[in-house]
Every structure is written in C-alpha cells, then in structure tokens.
Amino acid sequence: MTPRTPATSTAAADWAGFAAAEPALAATVEARFGAYTHHTLATLRKDGSPRTTGLEVRFLNGELWLGMMPGSLKALDLRRDPRFALQANPGDGTGMGGGDVRIAGRAVEVEDPETRAGYAEEVEPPQPFHLFRTELTEVVRTYVEEACLVVQIWQPGKPLRTVRRA
C-alpha cells in the first residue's frame, strides 16, 4: 500500500501576515489565547484519526509558536503530518469573553539553532524541546451579539467573511 500524502493548501500566512491583514481580529485572537495558559491542539495520528492534547502557545516576533516536550505524540504527529487545529481555552463558565477562537494551519519544525536559542531565551522552556512555527490557513472567531451567533472567518488572500445566524 502506498503512503497517503496529506492534502494541503498552498495558501498560508504567518502570524504577522494575518495581523497585518486583520489587526482587530488578530488582537482579539491573541487576547483570547493570552487569557489562559493551556489550550487544545488537534493533530492527526498515524491512522488518520484525530488526537487532542493540551498545549501552551506563544506569540513572538510575528510568529505563533508551538513548543513541545521531546518525543511527545503531538510532536511526532506534526512531523508526520503538519496539519493542526488549535482552540483557545474557553475559560471558566460560559462567558466566553471575546468569543471562541480557533486557528488551523500547518506546523513547521524549527531546527535552526539561532531561532531555537532566541525562543528559549524568551520562553525558558524545559530542555530539550520541539519547536514549531505555524503557517495559518484559517482563523475563526465565534461570538454572540444581540441574540445572533456571529462567525468571522479569515483565510489567507481572502477578505474577512462574517456570517450571522439568528
């Protein structure tokens, strides 16, 4: 049997590209991720089934970074298939201040010693660690406004789309 090559879109942007295209949405998304330390990462297992795990994220130098323990299953998943989905911790209760935010994209492992050293200096992660920078393919914010569910969807190269559901 021939291994399946993951289908990936070529349209992607780093965090700085997204923030330049949609600064207000980027600020909201970053604030939601900044409100809590741990978030939920979805990756794909060897058999293609989903895996969800906890994860800390960092926004540094125009990038969204994912740092992981060495040999962690999520890191191995991303090495095999870089597609991911990341959801901000919704927090306590049902308030969801700022709405629910999700990011999808591809994770690219960083091996460059200088980049890794800069990240380690800033974040001080346990050593050793895996480090991935992200290429965003979609950012979604969902919130309630005046009894309507509002969904904002950003994808690289496309205008921000807003869907309202009563």
Side-chain angles (χ1 to χ4, degrees):
M1 183 153 95
T2 306
R4 186 168 84 56
T5 303
T8 58
S9 166
T10 56
D14 63 10
W15 186 258
F18 164 59
E22 291 296 334
L25 179 57
T28 298
V29 171
E30 198 166 333
R32 286 293 300 126
F33 276 98
Y36 296 91
T37 302
H38 297 98
H39 308 285
T40 303
L41 176 72
T43 58
L44 295 169
R45 301 171 190 254
K46 276 185 200 177
D47 67 2
S49 63
R51 180 191 318 273
T52 59
T53 54
L55 179 77
E56 295 180 27
V57 302
R58 296 285 193 266
F59 297 90
L60 299 169
N61 304 318
E63 299 280 2
L64 169 57
W65 300 96
L66 311 176
M68 300 169 201
M69 292 173 41
S72 67
L73 293 175
K74 59 191 159 198
L76 299 177
D77 287 347
L78 290 173
R79 282 180 160 179
R80 187 177 43 261
D81 186 328
R83 294 176 293 173
F84 73 90
L86 180 63
Q87 183 163 11
N89 184 328
D92 298 330
T94 58
M96 299 286 291
D100 175 51
V101 295
R102 299 177 306 279
I103 298 171
R106 294 183 297 274
V108 178
E109 190 160 16
V110 176
E111 300 289 347
D112 173 59
E114 188 176 321
T115 302
R116 292 175 58 82
Y119 177 87
E121 183 178 315
E122 185 77 30
V123 177
E124 299 179 0
Q127 298 286 333
F129 63 96
H130 292 286
L131 180 62
F132 295 85
R133 68 173 182 76
T134 59
E135 297 176 344
L136 311 180
T137 57
E138 183 176 71
V139 177
V140 178
R141 175 182 179 217
T142 305
Y143 61 100
V144 176
E145 179 180 81
E146 299 176 8
C148 279
L149 182 68
V150 181
V151 182
Q152 294 177 300
I153 305 159
W154 176 85
Q155 295 172 318
K158 297 180 181 176
L160 181 65
R161 187 166 49 111
T162 301
V163 178
R164 294 182 185 282
R165 297 184 183 140

